[in-house]
Amino acid sequence: MARVKDINPFLVNSYISKEYFCNREDELNVLLRNVRGNVNTTLISPRRLGKTGLILRFFEMLGEMGDYGTVYVDIYSSRNLSDFIKLLTTAIINKFPERTPVGKRFLKLLKGLRPVFSFDAITGAPQVQFNYQSESDKEYTLQQLLAFINEQPHPVVVAIDEFQQIAHYPEKNVEAILRTYIQQFNRLCFIFSGSRRHTLMDIFANANRPFYSSTRFINLDAIERVTYRNFIREKFEQGGRAIDDESIDYVLEWTKGYTFYTQSLCNRLYSLRKINLDAVKAECLALLRENEPIYLQFRNLITSKQWEFLLALAKEESVSQIYSKEFLVKHQLGTPSSIHRMLDALLEKEMILESVSSTGSSYSVYDVFLMRWMQRTY
């Protein structure tokens, strides 16, 4: 294993420890306050803004305190309640390995639920599948899993990432089932996180849905620029690299300060010993050239009209008056009704990002690197 000082501090695909995590103190404090008050949280954030890293940093903080247990499960790949149960079971197994006393008790519980065990062919990680005779078997299995977590010595915080997936399950009663079980177990506190704002708001803010008014909301925004600038400078200096403020400001502007894109560019720059503005621009260009085949493929996945609409947003960077005559005429986009249809389609494909504030909604290309490529190419 690499020594800590040998690790590139600008992580892209994983979370290691707080030393490589930038700020989010306000959000961490809100999460802690909610957990201590036994209040569930809905965490909403666009993809690649760092919500998973925030959850894992929060779990690390809870571990340091020693007062809470934690379970993290990502249900993005789930298609139904069976998948949900399978992923939750795997998360518990990974949290409480077989050799531990808690793990042994969990395996004893599982045997009573008639599972089929297997192992991932690549990672070797344990996997489990249940054979259900009826829908009530699924509900019973889910209840037993949550009951087991609830019985741990310390209260447990359960984070369910990409929670909006449950809205697409073929079973129509999953929300009601989960809400019922959550109310039964008072030693469990939940963080429901996801990237599809409209879906999550419908789940948690619609008076006709089971989860209505059952959580407090955290809306994740980009990290404050001054804080991020200081973090970047510190990490380069600690690694014996020199970078000037002009270069850091360019990085943050070019990536819009979005965590994944900023980390990705800084990760590349970290391979250099001395970084100036010319070096930053060269890495930006190299990054776009590497990803160009992907962006060209995007163009083939949508209609030509949708591509022209996306290109207009890229050129403007952000548009609030999406149906205005000025915007439509300037980019020759057609009628407001056609824009409405294209907007819905591209929001669903997560190619357009809708940002909501007190002044209304604004729209931009979801992938910042794609936006920069379109600005440069067309």
Side-chain angles (χ1 to χ4, degrees):
M1 181 177 178
R3 293 172 297 172
V4 172
K5 69 176 184 178
D6 296 328
I7 295 175
N8 187 315
F10 299 101
L11 308 177
V12 178
N13 296 317
S14 62
Y15 176 85
I16 295 179
S17 68
K18 60 186 176 183
E19 286 77 19
Y20 306 99
F21 184 80
C22 181
N23 200 297
R24 299 294 192 193
E25 294 300 321
D26 290 343
E27 291 87 352
L28 288 169
N29 288 333
V30 172
L31 285 170
L32 183 59
R33 184 184 66 200
N34 289 353
V35 165
R36 284 177 168 168
N38 200 29
V39 175
N40 297 327
T41 304
T42 300
L43 174 62
I44 303 177
S45 162
R47 292 193 191 285
R48 300 184 168 183
L49 202 55
K51 61 179 171 58
T52 301
L54 172 62
I55 293 170
L56 297 180
R57 169 67 190 109
F58 180 58
F59 278 10
E60 180 184 43
M61 186 171 78
L62 291 178
E64 293 170 348
M65 294 168 52
D67 297 329
Y68 296 91
T70 58
V71 172
Y72 171 84
V73 55
D74 183 345
I75 65 167
Y76 182 69
S77 64
S78 66
R79 300 162 298 171
N80 49 48
L81 181 56
S82 297
D83 287 348
F84 180 96
I85 294 171
K86 177 182 177 181
L87 291 169
L88 178 58
T89 304
T90 301
I92 299 172
I93 292 174
N94 291 334
K95 183 65 179 180
F96 306 112
E98 180 181 0
R99 64 182 179 274
T100 65
V102 177
K104 291 177 181 177
R105 291 199 301 272
F106 185 58
L107 286 178
K108 184 178 180 180
L109 167 69
L110 287 182
K111 289 177 181 178
L113 299 174
R114 302 185 301 276
V116 176
F117 289 100
S118 61
F119 295 90
D120 187 281
I122 298 176
T123 66
Q127 295 179 325
V128 63
Q129 185 73 48
F130 296 98
N131 293 320
Y132 304 107
Q133 301 299 317
S134 65
E135 290 300 312
S136 61
D137 282 352
K138 296 180 186 178
E139 297 174 21
Y140 176 75
T141 301
L142 178 59
Q143 183 185 41
Q144 290 299 299
L145 294 176
L146 294 176
F148 176 83
I149 304 173
N150 189 67
E151 292 166 359
Q152 299 312 304
H154 296 293
V156 177
V157 181
V158 180
I160 306 178
D161 210 351
E162 302 300 346
F163 188 71
Q164 70 271 348
Q165 289 299 115
I166 71 168
H168 305 293
Y169 291 175
E171 302 93 347
K172 302 303 180 184
N173 60 340
V174 174
E175 291 176 40
I177 292 169
L178 277 174
R179 181 77 173 111
T180 299
Y181 292 161
I182 287 171
Q183 289 177 317
Q184 291 177 6
F185 304 119
N186 57 12
R187 289 171 56 79
L188 299 183
C189 194
F190 288 82
I191 299 172
F192 306 104
S193 69
S195 57
R196 289 184 177 261
R197 171 180 294 274
H198 284 298
T199 304
L200 289 170
M201 291 301 294
D202 196 36
I203 290 173
F204 292 102
N206 185 334
N208 296 317
R209 307 278 286 261
F211 276 100
Y212 171 68
S213 196
S214 64
T215 70
R216 291 177 184 165
F217 290 89
I218 296 179
N219 292 286
L220 206 61
D221 294 317
I223 297 171
E224 197 269 329
R225 289 288 177 95
V226 173
T227 301
Y228 217 164
R229 183 185 299 116
N230 293 337
F231 174 84
I232 293 170
R233 184 188 302 110
E234 176 186 285
K235 294 307 174 188
F236 273 103
E237 289 177 351
Q238 288 176 352
R241 275 82 168 164
I243 186 170
D244 55 50
D245 287 344
E246 184 181 29
S247 297
I248 298 175
D249 288 339
Y250 187 89
V251 167
L252 290 171
E253 181 62 31
W254 199 76
T255 63
K256 299 178 69 173
Y258 277 36
T259 304
F260 171 81
Y261 304 102
T262 302
Q263 296 289 114
S264 294
L265 181 53
C266 286
N267 183 283
R268 298 172 67 103
L269 293 170
Y270 195 77
S271 64
L272 309 175
R273 284 293 166 183
K274 186 174 181 179
I275 302 98
N276 55 30
L277 188 57
D278 287 339
V280 174
K281 290 181 178 180
E283 284 301 321
C284 290
L285 180 58
L287 188 154
L288 295 183
R289 284 175 173 167
E290 287 176 14
N291 289 314
E292 187 169 58
I294 300 173
Y295 303 146
L296 291 172
Q297 183 63 24
F298 284 165
R299 189 178 64 183
N300 295 330
L301 294 176
I302 59 179
T303 68
S304 58
K305 289 293 185 181
Q306 289 173 342
W307 182 258
E308 291 299 322
F309 179 39
L310 201 64
L311 180 59
L313 290 181
K315 290 179 177 179
E316 299 289 342
E317 291 211 10
S318 180
V319 179
S320 54
Q321 302 298 322
I322 199 83
Y323 301 111
S324 70
K325 182 178 180 181
E326 179 183 1
F327 174 66
L328 299 182
V329 171
K330 178 180 178 180
H331 297 283
Q332 301 179 343
L333 293 175
T335 64
S337 60
S338 63
I339 291 297
H340 180 74
R341 290 191 297 272
M342 289 189 290
L343 180 62
D344 285 347
L346 293 175
L347 283 170
E348 179 63 26
K349 294 177 184 291
E350 293 193 315
M351 298 193 74
I352 289 179
L353 173 65
E354 179 183 17
S355 301
V356 181
S357 68
S358 58
T359 58
S361 296
S362 60
Y363 302 90
S364 57
V365 177
Y366 209 118
D367 187 320
V368 175
F369 290 160
L370 171 62
M371 179 189 75
R372 296 304 184 198
W373 178 80
M374 296 177 88
Q375 290 171 342
R376 183 180 181 276
T377 305
Y378 296 92

